[in-house]
Amino acid sequence: MIQVGIVGGTGYTALELLKLLALHPHVEVAAVTSRDASFPRLSEVHPELNGVYDLTFELLDVDTLCERVDLVFCCLPHAASAEIVRQLLERDVRVIDFSADYRLNDVTTFEQWYGVTHPDPDRVGSVVYGLPEFFRNQIESANLVANPGCFPTSALIPLLPLLADGLIEPDHVIVDAKTGVSGAGRKANLKFHFPECNDSITAYSVGNHRHAPEMEHLIQRVCNVDSGVTFTAHLAPMTRGILATIYVQPTSGVDVEAVQKSWQTVYEEEPFVRMVHQPPATRHVVSSNFCDIAVFSARRGLVIVAAIDNLIKGASGAAVQNMNVMLGFQETTALLPSNGERVTSSS
Amino acid sequence: MIQVGIVGGTGYTALELLKLLALHPHVEVAAVTSRDASFPRLSEVHPELNGVYDLTFELLDVDTLCERVDLVFCCLPHAASAEIVRQLLERDVRVIDFSADYRLNDVTTFEQWYGVTHPDPDRVGSVVYGLPEFFRNQIESANLVANPGCFPTSALIPLLPLLADGLIEPDHVIVDAKTGVSGAGRKANLKFHFPECNDSITAYSVGNHRHAPEMEHLIQRVCNVDSGVTFTAHLAPMTRGILATIYVQPTSGVDVEAVQKSWQTVYEEEPFVRMVHQPPATRHVVSSNFCDIAVFSARRGLVIVAAIDNLIKGASGAAVQNMNVMLGFQETTALLPSNGERVTSSS
Amino acid sequence: MIQVGIVGGTGYTALELLKLLALHPHVEVAAVTSRDASFPRLSEVHPELNGVYDLTFELLDVDTLCERVDLVFCCLPHAASAEIVRQLLERDVRVIDFSADYRLNDVTTFEQWYGVTHPDPDRVGSVVYGLPEFFRNQIESANLVANPGCFPTSALIPLLPLLADGLIEPDHVIVDAKTGVSGAGRKANLKFHFPECNDSITAYSVGNHRHAPEMEHLIQRVCNVDSGVTFTAHLAPMTRGILATIYVQPTSGVDVEAVQKSWQTVYEEEPFVRMVHQPPATRHVVSSNFCDIAVFSARRGLVIVAAIDNLIKGASGAAVQNMNVMLGFQETTALLPSNGERVTSSS
Amino acid sequence: MIQVGIVGGTGYTALELLKLLALHPHVEVAAVTSRDASFPRLSEVHPELNGVYDLTFELLDVDTLCERVDLVFCCLPHAASAEIVRQLLERDVRVIDFSADYRLNDVTTFEQWYGVTHPDPDRVGSVVYGLPEFFRNQIESANLVANPGCFPTSALIPLLPLLADGLIEPDHVIVDAKTGVSGAGRKANLKFHFPECNDSITAYSVGNHRHAPEMEHLIQRVCNVDSGVTFTAHLAPMTRGILATIYVQPTSGVDVEAVQKSWQTVYEEEPFVRMVHQPPATRHVVSSNFCDIAVFSARRGLVIVAAIDNLIKGASGAAVQNMNVMLGFQETTALLPSNGERVTSSS
């Protein structure tokens, strides 16, 4: 049994991570930390876990934690995370970091968008991005994996093959994404107070969301292409799920079939990417690690619709998938039923 | 007191219309029709109206209806509507038609998009479009007004001034709209069954929604410009409201301020268009006749966000506004509190 | 025009109050206070009011406020409210108090349930309870009216006639109420964070909710009877509305018809109480001042179902109704369409 | 591998059943039937199952089905179900029946409440009720198990130990239950149209819900006691989950601790019943087979709150639990993570 730890275990991503890890036959959760010095039981903070885990939150002590675990999931906020990740790596523990700290290519862009000094600047730019569909080999041997942002995951999966193949104009990509409110984390804030969100939809961070540079950096890294991604996030009255509607301009002669063919080549063997022919609904992917993608012809250009669960494929499912790759387990363990054997599918 | 009738009174738009007309000091609802031969009371179908209306649904008899009313709101489905509208106009009753039958410029486009033969083709192309902000003078004297579609209203209000002023490229307009489920009407359908819609978002009619040609026709009519509108509709888990996120390419030198200035010129005196500086939420306009619009600078081009209540400014509120113009009442009667006096506002 | 002020204007009840007062032809809002020293415009805190009010929040200064207004709606939390109410009354301004401070019969019960020292103990017990259906005459001449709690309103309207007539056992009344989340106020709190409430229902304050003694006190005051009310509150995933399901034991020979007859006698002329025959839904009363009540025969005893909007009949609508009574206006002004003329109704 | 079939596979309970069975290491789904003669793939009806099952719906042919499977889950409506169950049993296939057809003790009560002639009356009264917590031994050897109703499950689990121990009065039990809309099944119906249910709560079948006699029959069967259960169902704006708030009168000297002790004795070793001390929320049990129960002292008597997922512990999870008992597998297989090993828990 591999022993793992979770640093920062009171939020929604940690809860989903704990639920997934409970399904994993080869991994045991040895420790979960929180800043709450009253040492609550896991089930006091996450009543869902009552009868599933018999653990108590502990305060983070890097030294004793590292003696007990082989791998840590770090679920801390940006900047706070890199400070701890640095210390964990020094003690030879492998880390999957949920924060944005190691996702971008360069420190300057990070500090400009996140407004803080990076506590571990030397590593930035050399950390593997935890999208196994594109970085599987590097993840296998990595000591540190930067778990992708939820919006970038929903956009990069459909876009990267097309940009790599030169099927769409890199300069005019529009990502209109709708997220459930759990994307805002588990912290009281009037903006996410039930009566403020319920039965209503709004846009936020229009024109300046931090996930836009993350998308552009990854497009550069994977496709070696400069891109312009116009990204708008919307808060939809639902708990979880992201639907990304993506408007692209095909290059000459490219049609719906060409896009599907490009996806087919890249994703045919991928267990978690499903090409579908009807517009996906977030309901179809919620509580799963699937990313559903579809493409349609429009008045001008093409429209791509992608759906993920922001907490699973957009966070904790991707983290477990990365862990499976790092530890040499079947990549689908704990993420797909049927003992991880995905059935052949052609929707 | 002006006597009005409602043909097709069991749906959500009719309910909102009845609620608004109850507030109107100069108008009385004389008749509401339905195909239900059991003649239910209004409050049996709309329990909200119990204690507000003491009326019974009647079967439509055009002759007797026209003897009792001066104006009819026709809330029938497309094609069924024009058939009745034709008969009402022959009997010298003025009509506000909620269907799409008279909105487009030409019969061919209508029949192609709606898949039916138009029952009153000769009138098509000469009927005034009920967007008072642009057709007020024609509405005043009209016998028939085509009440606008809900999505077109949310897109045309922000777009028309900019296209008329040449501030944006007409050929690359992308409208990504999210609607509440009441937009689908009040008819049982598995697609709109609560568990299918709740806590989930999806796209529909991607690339081929009937409201796209309506937008293009109106842009042509008002701005005399050929446009290409890529329109995607989304079903959000909420009862009512439309949020339209619109991606436009400004012409040379045009920025956020230029857009705001254009809007200011057109909408300064308009009681129902509010220019705002934060992204509007549908919650802010629901149950009102307001259309909130905002503009932001993005990575490439500009992003406009508009919010309306699909059942009010997108349907019944617009209809009452049109009726007020047709009948010479103050345009805001029954639509704005303070006895219809809108306060000065500069949010 | 009567000038009114609102003390504590940033919450949901103040927002609804402002929307209702905007409809009132004889009342003008002269001042709205908040503790926010940045003096925001009303529309910055309540974007719904943009274009409806052109006012700026002000800090509370009792002296200057009292020079400008004839009546104050006090929307402060308990204890904080009585402190201000006392000062307002000293300056001869009439007050409608939204807090619980003056609702109970005695100071001891108040201090025991609310855990604070009452800042104005001498008035407690002699203040009229603002349920016009039962205290209309006293409200007319009152300088201070204690606006009822939302749960008590939903329970007292159906129960009081039956207890007064001796139709049900006072000792075994069970009120199982479900409320929308706006009942918890407009303050960030993890318990009311959207993902914690959405798509889920829970009970709270089981066996010890502060509104239980309020119900018992009022039953004593109106019916002169000691009662035992078992009250359970539930948080339902909706913005507003209360549904109270009430289990009662009829006295000998009492059936559904006897209950309806008792209600009929008391409520026949009441504009805001609607006797219905199907179980009401909160949707039918939301945004209105109506209270819908129905009664059914059960395995043992009777089941009563009552529905109100917690923010209207349960708070701000009741306050406007009280104001109308205090000021001699038609009681339905700004609360019922048709210029306040309620139609005859017999659902 | 045990081969199982699902008769009636297009609804919500079948979907949940398929998701659970995909997790089962010893069971394979060999056939799923539907009346849809177009033979859709499972993923066309349930897009969630795309990539999980590679099956096509088939028309029901009892003979060929029985050659291929050892056990059938029958998810047909009442009456339709017994007709097929009878045929399946004749062919020596074991059956778990989701309908109400075999739950009651006698045919007369069934026919009175369900308004149909029972197609297999001879078996009624001798079929084991699939609540393993009380009928485990009989389920082991049963050829037919009547899967419990969702509301009865939520009420019987907390009530049966107390009635068996004589801790509460059997004659005055009040069950006020709130269910998600999936409880109404997956069939278009205006009552469950999204805008009719969203953001609103209502009561239904007040005083005459079919699950009331089911509760009373089971109380009689398990506790040998005549009871009077007043049951009210409510439709809450959520997809799934049941919260039952139960009002009981304790017999002399019985308090909260006595109730907890009774539960502790019966449920200490039960993997799916969790005694909790805070009021449970449906969110805590949704997507799990847990039933959370808590008890509180009230003004008069005691208040019990129980929460289950209506589709899991209230339907498909219970069915899998029953199947595990019938087939000799560990009872928690596919229902609890950690390979079915439940951790010790004392919340």
Side-chain angles (χ1 to χ4, degrees):
Chain A
M1 282 302 245
I2 300 286
Q3 303 295 312
V4 303
I6 299 176
V7 172
T10 58
Y12 296 128
T13 51
L15 171 58
E16 292 305 312
L17 184 57
L18 283 158
K19 286 160 70 177
L20 291 172
L21 292 174
L23 295 165
H24 204 294
H26 310 309
V27 166
E28 196 165 46
V29 178
V32 188
T33 79
S34 150
R35 285 172 309 180
D36 184 341
S38 72
F39 305 103
R41 295 169 49 81
L42 257 66
S43 59
E44 289 175 73
V45 172
H46 303 299
E48 297 89 337
L49 299 182
N50 188 350
V52 180
Y53 282 94
D54 191 22
L55 280 173
T56 298
F57 282 101
E58 53 189 76
L59 294 174
L60 173 61
D61 178 303
V62 175
D63 283 322
T64 63
L65 176 67
C66 289
E67 282 164 21
R68 294 148 60 205
V69 303
D70 308 295
L71 183 146
V72 165
F73 297 93
C74 195
C75 304
L76 298 177
H78 60 82
S81 194
E83 181 57 42
I84 299 301
V85 168
R86 201 177 44 75
Q87 299 176 44
L88 294 166
L89 292 172
E90 283 166 7
R91 283 157 184 81
D92 283 334
V93 163
R94 299 173 85 181
V95 178
I96 296 171
D97 180 32
F98 280 58
S99 85
D101 290 355
Y102 299 101
R103 293 182 198 152
L104 299 182
N105 291 349
D106 66 272
V107 174
T108 311
T109 310
F110 175 86
E111 298 191 339
Q112 171 194 330
W113 281 87
Y114 287 83
V116 290
T117 303
H118 199 294
D120 186 21
D122 294 348
R123 275 199 183 81
V124 174
S126 66
V127 177
V128 60
Y129 189 77
L131 200 59
E133 288 78 4
F134 292 89
F135 300 99
R136 190 168 280 122
N137 289 342
Q138 293 165 255
I139 294 167
E140 269 178 33
S141 53
N143 287 320
L144 171 60
V145 170
N147 216 45
C150 52
F151 289 122
T153 295
S154 71
L156 292 170
I157 286 179
L159 286 172
L160 289 178
L162 313 185
L163 288 161
D165 290 354
L167 302 185
I168 58 173
E169 302 288 355
D171 220 35
H172 285 91
V173 172
I174 292 174
V175 178
D176 186 286
K178 300 89 181 164
T179 185
V181 184
S182 63
R186 193 185 191 188
K187 215 164 59 181
N189 180 326
L190 189 56
K191 274 193 268 184
F192 312 116
H193 192 49
F194 184 87
E196 304 286 315
C197 295
N198 185 42
D199 216 27
S200 181
I201 191 165
T202 191
Y204 67 95
S205 302
V206 186
N208 63 356
H209 194 287
R210 290 160 170 176
H211 281 177
E214 187 178 327
M215 295 179 199
E216 293 181 354
H217 275 217
L218 263 292
I219 289 169
Q220 170 63 43
R221 212 189 285 186
V222 173
C223 310
N224 201 23
V225 122
D226 282 338
S227 62
V229 176
T230 292
F231 172 58
T232 310
H234 298 79
L235 198 67
M238 55 194 199
T239 296
R240 45 205 286 182
I242 286 177
L243 193 84
T245 310
I246 306 174
Y247 300 88
V248 296
Q249 296 307 316
T251 49
S252 177
V254 170
D255 58 7
V256 159
E257 287 68 34
V259 166
Q260 287 170 334
K261 200 166 169 184
S262 167
W263 284 348
Q264 181 73 14
T265 307
V266 177
Y267 293 128
E268 191 162 31
E269 303 293 320
E270 286 296 339
F272 296 118
V273 182
R274 302 190 295 199
M275 282 159 279
V276 295
H277 297 289
Q278 295 299 317
T282 55
R283 182 172 53 86
H284 300 157
V285 298
V286 156
S287 295
S288 87
N289 200 47
F290 289 119
C291 175
D292 282 5
I293 53 176
V295 60
F296 304 91
S297 186
R299 187 74 174 82
R300 293 282 186 278
L302 301 172
V303 180
I304 292 164
V305 185
I308 62 167
D309 184 333
N310 61 306
L311 295 178
I312 308 286
K313 185 60 180 167
S316 304
V320 171
Q321 189 179 355
N322 283 319
M323 179 196 74
N324 284 337
V325 174
M326 291 167 81
L327 299 177
F329 300 133
Q330 187 173 352
E331 194 169 326
T332 56
T333 312
L335 295 171
L336 264 193
S338 303
N339 303 312
E341 298 289 342
R342 192 205 183 187
V343 302
T344 314
S345 160
S346 46
S347 67
Chain B
M1 282 303 246
I2 300 285
Q3 303 297 311
V4 303
I6 299 177
V7 172
T10 59
Y12 295 128
T13 50
L15 171 58
E16 292 305 312
L17 184 58
L18 283 158
K19 286 159 69 178
L20 291 172
L21 292 174
L23 295 164
H24 204 294
H26 310 308
V27 166
E28 194 165 48
V29 178
V32 187
T33 80
S34 150
R35 286 173 307 181
D36 185 340
S38 72
F39 307 102
R41 294 171 48 81
L42 257 65
S43 59
E44 289 176 74
V45 173
H46 303 298
E48 296 89 338
L49 299 182
N50 187 350
V52 180
Y53 282 94
D54 191 22
L55 279 173
T56 298
F57 282 102
E58 53 189 76
L59 294 174
L60 173 60
D61 179 305
V62 174
D63 282 322
T64 62
L65 178 66
C66 289
E67 283 164 22
R68 295 146 62 204
V69 303
D70 307 295
L71 183 147
V72 164
F73 297 94
C74 195
C75 304
L76 298 176
H78 60 82
S81 195
E83 181 56 43
I84 299 302
V85 168
R86 201 176 45 74
Q87 300 175 44
L88 294 166
L89 293 172
E90 285 167 6
R91 284 156 184 79
D92 282 333
V93 165
R94 299 173 85 179
V95 179
I96 296 172
D97 180 32
F98 280 58
S99 84
D101 290 354
Y102 298 101
R103 293 181 197 152
L104 298 182
N105 290 351
D106 66 272
V107 173
T108 311
T109 310
F110 176 86
E111 297 191 340
Q112 170 192 332
W113 281 88
Y114 287 84
V116 290
T117 302
H118 199 294
D120 186 21
D122 293 348
R123 275 199 183 79
V124 174
S126 66
V127 178
V128 61
Y129 190 76
L131 200 59
E133 288 79 4
F134 293 90
F135 298 99
R136 190 167 281 121
N137 290 343
Q138 295 166 253
I139 294 167
E140 270 178 31
S141 53
N143 288 320
L144 171 60
V145 170
N147 216 44
C150 52
F151 289 123
T153 295
S154 71
L156 292 170
I157 286 178
L159 285 172
L160 288 178
L162 314 185
L163 288 160
D165 290 354
L167 301 185
I168 58 173
E169 301 287 356
D171 220 34
H172 285 91
V173 172
I174 292 174
V175 177
D176 187 285
K178 300 89 180 163
T179 184
V181 185
S182 62
R186 194 185 191 190
K187 213 163 63 180
N189 180 325
L190 190 56
K191 275 193 267 184
F192 312 115
H193 191 49
F194 184 88
E196 305 285 315
C197 296
N198 185 42
D199 217 26
S200 180
I201 191 166
T202 191
Y204 67 95
S205 302
V206 184
N208 63 354
H209 195 289
R210 291 160 168 175
H211 282 177
E214 186 177 329
M215 295 179 200
E216 293 181 354
H217 276 216
L218 264 292
I219 289 170
Q220 171 62 45
R221 212 188 288 186
V222 173
C223 311
N224 201 21
V225 122
D226 282 336
S227 64
V229 176
T230 291
F231 171 58
T232 310
H234 297 79
L235 198 68
M238 54 194 201
T239 296
R240 46 207 282 182
I242 286 177
L243 193 84
T245 310
I246 305 173
Y247 299 89
V248 296
Q249 296 308 315
T251 48
S252 177
V254 171
D255 58 6
V256 159
E257 285 69 33
V259 166
Q260 288 169 333
K261 202 167 168 183
S262 168
W263 285 345
Q264 181 72 16
T265 308
V266 177
Y267 293 127
E268 193 162 29
E269 303 292 320
E270 286 296 339
F272 297 117
V273 181
R274 302 191 294 199
M275 281 158 280
V276 296
H277 297 289
Q278 296 298 317
T282 54
R283 183 172 53 86
H284 300 157
V285 298
V286 157
S287 295
S288 87
N289 199 47
F290 289 120
C291 175
D292 282 5
I293 53 177
V295 59
F296 305 90
S297 185
R299 187 74 173 82
R300 293 283 186 280
L302 301 173
V303 181
I304 291 164
V305 186
I308 61 167
D309 184 333
N310 60 306
L311 296 177
I312 307 287
K313 185 60 179 166
S316 304
V320 171
Q321 190 179 355
N322 283 319
M323 178 196 75
N324 285 335
V325 175
M326 291 166 81
L327 299 177
F329 300 132
Q330 186 173 355
E331 193 169 325
T332 56
T333 311
L335 295 171
L336 263 193
S338 303
N339 303 315
E341 297 290 341
R342 191 200 184 193
V343 302
T344 316
S345 160
S346 48
S347 68
Chain C
M1 283 300 248
I2 299 287
Q3 304 295 312
V4 302
I6 299 175
V7 172
T10 60
Y12 295 129
T13 50
L15 170 57
E16 292 305 313
L17 184 57
L18 283 158
K19 286 159 69 177
L20 291 172
L21 292 174
L23 295 164
H24 205 293
H26 311 308
V27 166
E28 194 165 47
V29 178
V32 188
T33 80
S34 150
R35 286 174 309 181
D36 184 341
S38 73
F39 305 103
R41 294 170 49 82
L42 258 66
S43 60
E44 290 176 72
V45 172
H46 302 299
E48 297 89 338
L49 299 181
N50 187 351
V52 180
Y53 282 93
D54 191 24
L55 280 173
T56 298
F57 282 101
E58 53 189 75
L59 293 173
L60 173 60
D61 179 304
V62 174
D63 283 322
T64 62
L65 177 67
C66 290
E67 284 164 21
R68 293 147 61 205
V69 303
D70 307 295
L71 183 147
V72 164
F73 297 93
C74 194
C75 304
L76 298 177
H78 59 82
S81 194
E83 181 57 43
I84 299 301
V85 168
R86 201 177 42 76
Q87 300 176 46
L88 294 166
L89 293 172
E90 284 167 7
R91 284 157 184 80
D92 283 333
V93 164
R94 299 173 86 180
V95 178
I96 296 171
D97 180 31
F98 280 58
S99 84
D101 289 355
Y102 298 101
R103 293 181 198 152
L104 299 182
N105 291 349
D106 67 273
V107 173
T108 312
T109 311
F110 175 86
E111 297 192 340
Q112 170 193 332
W113 281 88
Y114 288 84
V116 290
T117 303
H118 199 294
D120 186 21
D122 293 349
R123 274 199 184 80
V124 173
S126 65
V127 177
V128 61
Y129 190 76
L131 201 59
E133 288 78 5
F134 292 89
F135 299 99
R136 189 168 280 120
N137 289 343
Q138 295 165 254
I139 294 167
E140 269 178 33
S141 54
N143 288 321
L144 170 60
V145 170
N147 215 46
C150 51
F151 289 122
T153 295
S154 71
L156 293 170
I157 286 178
L159 286 172
L160 289 178
L162 314 185
L163 288 161
D165 289 354
L167 303 185
I168 58 173
E169 301 288 355
D171 220 33
H172 285 91
V173 172
I174 292 174
V175 178
D176 186 286
K178 300 88 180 163
T179 184
V181 185
S182 64
R186 193 185 192 190
K187 212 163 64 180
N189 180 325
L190 189 55
K191 275 193 268 185
F192 312 116
H193 191 49
F194 184 87
E196 304 286 315
C197 296
N198 185 42
D199 217 25
S200 182
I201 191 165
T202 191
Y204 67 95
S205 303
V206 185
N208 63 354
H209 194 288
R210 292 161 169 174
H211 282 176
E214 186 176 329
M215 295 178 201
E216 293 181 353
H217 275 216
L218 264 292
I219 289 168
Q220 171 61 48
R221 211 188 288 185
V222 173
C223 311
N224 201 21
V225 122
D226 281 336
S227 63
V229 177
T230 291
F231 171 57
T232 310
H234 297 79
L235 197 68
M238 55 194 200
T239 296
R240 47 207 283 183
I242 286 177
L243 193 83
T245 310
I246 306 174
Y247 300 88
V248 295
Q249 296 307 316
T251 49
S252 177
V254 170
D255 57 8
V256 159
E257 287 67 35
V259 166
Q260 287 169 335
K261 202 167 169 184
S262 168
W263 285 347
Q264 181 72 15
T265 308
V266 178
Y267 294 128
E268 192 162 29
E269 303 293 319
E270 286 295 339
F272 297 118
V273 181
R274 301 190 295 198
M275 281 157 281
V276 296
H277 298 289
Q278 295 298 316
T282 55
R283 182 172 55 85
H284 300 156
V285 297
V286 156
S287 294
S288 87
N289 199 48
F290 289 119
C291 175
D292 282 6
I293 53 176
V295 61
F296 305 91
S297 185
R299 188 71 173 85
R300 293 282 185 279
L302 301 173
V303 181
I304 292 165
V305 186
I308 61 166
D309 184 334
N310 60 308
L311 296 177
I312 307 287
K313 185 60 178 165
S316 304
V320 171
Q321 189 180 354
N322 283 319
M323 178 196 75
N324 285 334
V325 175
M326 291 167 81
L327 299 177
F329 300 133
Q330 186 173 355
E331 194 169 324
T332 55
T333 312
L335 295 171
L336 264 193
S338 303
N339 303 314
E341 298 290 342
R342 192 202 183 191
V343 300
T344 314
S345 160
S346 48
S347 69
Chain D
M1 282 303 244
I2 300 286
Q3 303 295 312
V4 302
I6 299 175
V7 173
T10 58
Y12 296 129
T13 50
L15 170 59
E16 291 306 312
L17 184 57
L18 283 159
K19 286 160 69 177
L20 291 172
L21 292 174
L23 294 164
H24 205 293
H26 310 310
V27 166
E28 195 165 46
V29 178
V32 187
T33 80
S34 150
R35 286 174 306 181
D36 184 341
S38 73
F39 305 103
R41 295 171 48 79
L42 259 65
S43 59
E44 290 175 73
V45 172
H46 303 299
E48 297 88 337
L49 299 181
N50 187 351
V52 180
Y53 282 94
D54 191 22
L55 280 173
T56 298
F57 282 102
E58 53 188 77
L59 294 172
L60 173 60
D61 178 306
V62 174
D63 283 322
T64 62
L65 177 67
C66 289
E67 283 164 23
R68 293 147 61 205
V69 303
D70 308 295
L71 183 147
V72 165
F73 296 94
C74 196
C75 303
L76 298 177
H78 60 82
S81 196
E83 180 58 43
I84 299 301
V85 168
R86 200 176 45 74
Q87 301 176 43
L88 294 166
L89 292 172
E90 284 166 8
R91 284 159 184 78
D92 281 334
V93 164
R94 299 174 85 181
V95 178
I96 296 171
D97 181 31
F98 280 57
S99 84
D101 290 354
Y102 299 100
R103 293 181 197 152
L104 298 182
N105 290 351
D106 67 273
V107 173
T108 311
T109 311
F110 176 87
E111 297 191 341
Q112 171 193 333
W113 282 88
Y114 287 85
V116 290
T117 302
H118 199 294
D120 185 21
D122 293 348
R123 275 200 184 79
V124 174
S126 66
V127 178
V128 61
Y129 190 76
L131 200 57
E133 287 79 4
F134 292 89
F135 300 98
R136 189 168 280 121
N137 289 343
Q138 295 166 252
I139 294 167
E140 268 178 35
S141 54
N143 287 322
L144 171 59
V145 170
N147 215 45
C150 52
F151 288 122
T153 295
S154 72
L156 293 170
I157 287 179
L159 286 173
L160 289 178
L162 313 184
L163 288 162
D165 289 354
L167 302 185
I168 58 174
E169 302 288 356
D171 221 35
H172 285 91
V173 172
I174 292 174
V175 178
D176 186 286
K178 299 88 180 165
T179 184
V181 185
S182 63
R186 193 186 191 190
K187 213 163 64 180
N189 180 325
L190 188 57
K191 274 194 267 184
F192 312 116
H193 191 49
F194 184 87
E196 303 286 315
C197 297
N198 185 43
D199 217 27
S200 182
I201 191 164
T202 191
Y204 66 95
S205 302
V206 184
N208 62 355
H209 195 288
R210 292 160 169 176
H211 281 177
E214 186 177 328
M215 295 179 200
E216 294 181 352
H217 276 217
L218 264 292
I219 290 169
Q220 171 62 46
R221 211 189 288 186
V222 173
C223 310
N224 201 22
V225 122
D226 282 336
S227 62
V229 176
T230 292
F231 171 58
T232 311
H234 297 79
L235 197 69
M238 55 194 200
T239 296
R240 47 207 283 181
I242 286 176
L243 193 84
T245 310
I246 305 174
Y247 300 88
V248 295
Q249 296 308 316
T251 49
S252 176
V254 171
D255 58 7
V256 160
E257 286 67 35
V259 166
Q260 287 168 334
K261 202 167 167 183
S262 168
W263 285 347
Q264 181 72 16
T265 308
V266 178
Y267 294 128
E268 192 163 30
E269 303 293 319
E270 287 295 338
F272 297 119
V273 181
R274 302 190 295 199
M275 281 157 281
V276 296
H277 298 289
Q278 295 298 317
T282 54
R283 182 172 53 87
H284 300 155
V285 298
V286 156
S287 295
S288 88
N289 199 48
F290 288 120
C291 175
D292 282 6
I293 53 177
V295 60
F296 304 91
S297 185
R299 188 71 174 83
R300 292 284 186 278
L302 302 172
V303 181
I304 292 165
V305 187
I308 61 166
D309 184 334
N310 60 307
L311 296 178
I312 308 287
K313 186 60 178 165
S316 304
V320 170
Q321 190 179 354
N322 282 321
M323 179 195 74
N324 285 336
V325 174
M326 291 166 82
L327 299 177
F329 300 132
Q330 185 172 355
E331 195 169 324
T332 56
T333 311
L335 295 171
L336 264 193
S338 303
N339 303 312
E341 298 290 343
R342 193 202 182 191
V343 301
T344 315
S345 160
S346 47
S347 69

